[in-house]
Amino acid sequence: CFMTAPDVFQFGIRVTSEVATVQIGEAAMTYFKVTNIDALYAALSQLDSSDDNLMDERIPYWADLWPSAIALAEYVSELENSEVSFIHEIGCGMALPSVLCGKLGHKVMMSDYVEAPLQFAEANWHLNNTSQPHTMMLDWRNIPDNIEKCDLLLAADVAYESRMFPAVINAFQRLTKNGGKIIFTEPNRKFTSEFYKLLQNNFPEINTSERLVFLNNHQHKIKLSVIDV
């Protein structure tokens, strides 16, 4: 079903977008591609230094479709349907892995730390699915005790700030059932070696491989880790 673009503001400016298509495995996925990312970064830099958005570094990384998200979605598209009943994508941004899981008939929760990406996640869901989307605002540093745990946790490019590494590990532990799986992708950034050490200390069962993603006429090498909880 065709939808109008989400009416979203961040840092006081409207986020503009257009419908774009990306190929994930066999599926052609449509999504609302943000067309004024530079303006969002400029607006963030103009904010008063005491503004929560600056204090908490709410950088609009969500507004881009990252190669790590494509790699994650491609991997998920190859999974056997019977393996999982409830999937949660944290730091979902554009949420294409989640949207694809919805297409495959899974129960999915899409969470992020600010409102803007969740509105885009919902809009992208509606572009591709007829079922209702489920979204949630979630701060990894403060996870509610009664939150439903998932069988499969998805996380694309969530280890991008070293100060947040412990919070990401906390989210992995608190949100995934015993016997569940976490699938984590990132583009081989040098400083994430510290994150992998933390990961290994907390989750001994990690299987890591490399995937090639073609996006915007570039080839990207993405590291994909499947973690048994």
Side-chain angles (χ1 to χ4, degrees):
C1 58
F2 187 77
M3 270 189 54
T4 51
D7 188 20
V8 174
F9 285 77
Q10 198 175 22
F11 318 130
I13 65 164
R14 184 187 294 275
V15 182
T16 59
S17 61
E18 63 189 19
V19 175
T21 305
V22 61
Q23 192 70 28
I24 295 176
E26 302 291 298
M29 308 281 293
T30 49
Y31 71 105
F32 285 106
K33 180 181 183 175
V34 174
T35 51
N36 64 336
I37 291 175
D38 290 348
L40 292 179
Y41 278 92
L44 176 64
S45 70
Q46 298 299 312
L47 294 176
D48 185 84
S49 61
S50 64
D51 191 293
D52 276 356
N53 287 299
L54 269 182
M55 302 272 284
D56 216 18
E57 297 181 27
R58 292 176 197 166
I59 299 162
Y61 297 128
W62 67 268
D64 242 327
L65 177 60
W66 296 95
S68 295
I70 304 278
L72 183 56
E74 286 178 350
Y75 182 84
V76 167
S77 74
E78 298 157 13
L79 283 180
E80 289 298 314
N81 258 16
S82 58
E83 286 178 29
V84 285
S85 60
F86 177 43
I87 294 169
H88 184 163
E89 184 181 2
I90 64 170
C92 68
M94 287 288 157
L96 284 197
S98 289
V99 172
L100 190 66
C101 289
K103 258 174 128 57
L104 298 172
H106 296 296
K107 178 185 170 190
V108 183
M109 176 61 71
M110 303 178 282
S111 69
D112 212 308
Y113 179 47
V114 288
E115 185 59 41
L118 295 179
Q119 291 174 274
F120 269 82
E122 286 195 7
N124 291 337
W125 182 281
H126 283 299
L127 277 180
N128 296 276
N129 295 318
T130 53
S131 58
Q132 282 306 304
H134 298 283
T135 58
M136 168 191 248
M137 292 267 282
L138 186 66
D139 182 343
W140 303 329
R141 297 163 296 190
N142 187 20
I143 294 171
D145 289 336
N146 62 348
I147 197 162
E148 185 181 357
K149 294 192 170 193
C150 62
D151 308 286
L152 180 61
L153 186 84
L154 304 180
D157 236 346
V158 294
Y160 49 79
E161 288 176 10
S162 48
R163 72 188 178 101
M164 288 296 283
F165 287 173
V168 176
I169 299 287
N170 176 51
F172 282 5
Q173 291 169 324
R174 294 284 306 282
L175 297 172
T176 317
K177 285 178 187 168
N178 284 339
K181 280 191 192 313
I182 299 161
I183 305 174
F184 165 68
T185 52
E186 68 86 34
N188 281 303
R189 293 195 183 94
K190 278 199 171 64
F191 74 88
T192 47
S193 61
E194 286 307 309
F195 180 75
Y196 283 103
K197 281 179 197 162
L198 264 181
L199 204 54
Q200 196 75 54
N201 290 343
N202 287 278
F203 301 99
E205 298 291 318
I206 302 177
N207 192 332
T208 298
S209 57
E210 204 165 70
R211 291 179 81 94
L212 291 179
V213 168
F214 292 90
L215 185 64
N216 305 329
N217 300 321
H218 284 90
Q219 180 174 294
H220 305 265
K221 274 187 184 171
I222 303 297
K223 199 166 171 178
L224 183 140
S225 301
V226 179
I227 301 156
D228 287 314
V229 179

